[in-house]
């Protein structure tokens, strides 16, 4: 009864090590590497996370990391789905909530993303940066989404 959770955690840990290795390989590059072409280096990590999920579908780390890899690949629907699975396993994890908020925004649902980002103090400032960054990437649609979400966040009443 202990073997399956142990093996799932082992695969998650191996995936996390592979992910860190790939991300730190050319650090610091001075660039934010995104897009499908950057995820080939994360294939080994993805395989480990998938193995973890095959053993234990409730492995939060595997869902979270697969969501981050999908975000990096700009596969926003997959990122949203993977991160949502992680969120269901740990609704209080700040990193998961924030990543899910952005994945939901980039997948085209600004209102839902705001409900996730409202408790992230830096979100409005980050969205200001994303407005310009997405424009520079030629993604006016995502820039407009960032602007809409920022506007919604700033129009909410302040918490006491």
């Amino acid at each position: 009864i202990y073997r399956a959770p142990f093996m799932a955690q082992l695969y998650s840990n191996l995936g996390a090590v592979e992910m860190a290795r790939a991300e730190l390989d050319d650090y610091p590059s001075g660039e934010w590497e995104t897009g499908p072409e950057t995820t080939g280096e994360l294939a080994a990590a993805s395989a480990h996370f998938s193995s973890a999920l095959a053993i234990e579908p409730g492995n939060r780390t595997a869902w979270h990391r697969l969501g981050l890899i999908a975000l990096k690949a700009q596969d926003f629907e997959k990122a949203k789905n993977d991160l949502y699975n992680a969120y269901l396993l740990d609704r209080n994890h700040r990193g998961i909530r924030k990543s899910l908020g952005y994945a939901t925004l980039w997948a085209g649902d600004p209102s839902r993303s705001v409900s996730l980002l409202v408790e992230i103090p830096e979100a409005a400032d980050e969205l200001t940066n994303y407005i310009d960054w997405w424009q520079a990437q030629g993604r006016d649609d995502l820039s407009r989404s960032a602007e809409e979400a920022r506007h919604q966040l700033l129009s909410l009443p302040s918490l006491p």
Side-chain angles (χ1 to χ4, degrees):
I1 59 175
Y2 297 109
R3 188 173 195 285
F6 173 79
M7 292 303 295
Q9 192 60 48
L10 175 65
Y11 281 119
S12 284
N13 290 341
L14 289 171
V17 169
E18 282 295 322
M19 192 172 176
R21 186 194 56 72
E23 290 175 339
L24 294 173
D25 186 35
D26 194 21
Y27 183 82
S29 68
E31 300 287 323
W32 185 19
E33 298 173 3
T34 64
E37 65 280 356
T38 66
T39 56
E41 62 201 28
L42 295 170
S46 292
H48 287 306
F49 296 133
S50 295
S51 294
L53 291 173
I55 295 168
E56 183 185 1
N59 188 299
R60 180 191 55 105
T61 300
W63 284 119
H64 183 190
R65 295 296 185 109
L66 283 171
L68 295 176
I69 291 169
L71 264 178
K72 188 171 187 165
Q74 296 183 16
D75 185 346
F76 303 124
E77 281 298 324
K78 180 175 180 353
K80 181 178 76 168
N81 292 333
D82 290 347
L83 290 164
Y84 184 70
N85 284 324
Y87 175 74
L88 290 175
L89 295 165
D90 188 352
R91 293 175 187 267
N92 296 316
H93 190 289
R94 187 178 189 279
I96 292 170
R97 185 179 189 89
K98 182 176 177 179
S99 297
L100 177 58
Y102 285 123
T104 302
L105 177 60
W106 309 141
D109 193 349
S111 295
R112 175 133 166 77
S113 74
V114 167
S115 70
L116 293 159
L117 295 173
V118 69
E119 294 177 22
I120 309 294
E122 69 274 14
D125 289 337
E126 289 179 353
L127 286 166
T128 299
N129 293 328
Y130 275 126
I131 293 166
D132 296 333
W133 192 82
W134 282 122
Q135 279 182 339
Q137 305 306 308
R139 293 296 307 265
D140 292 339
D141 57 330
L142 297 179
S143 177
R144 283 189 301 277
S145 291
E147 192 167 9
E148 181 181 341
R150 182 179 181 278
H151 176 73
Q152 288 181 29
L153 274 176
L154 294 176
S155 67
L156 292 172
S158 298
L159 297 174

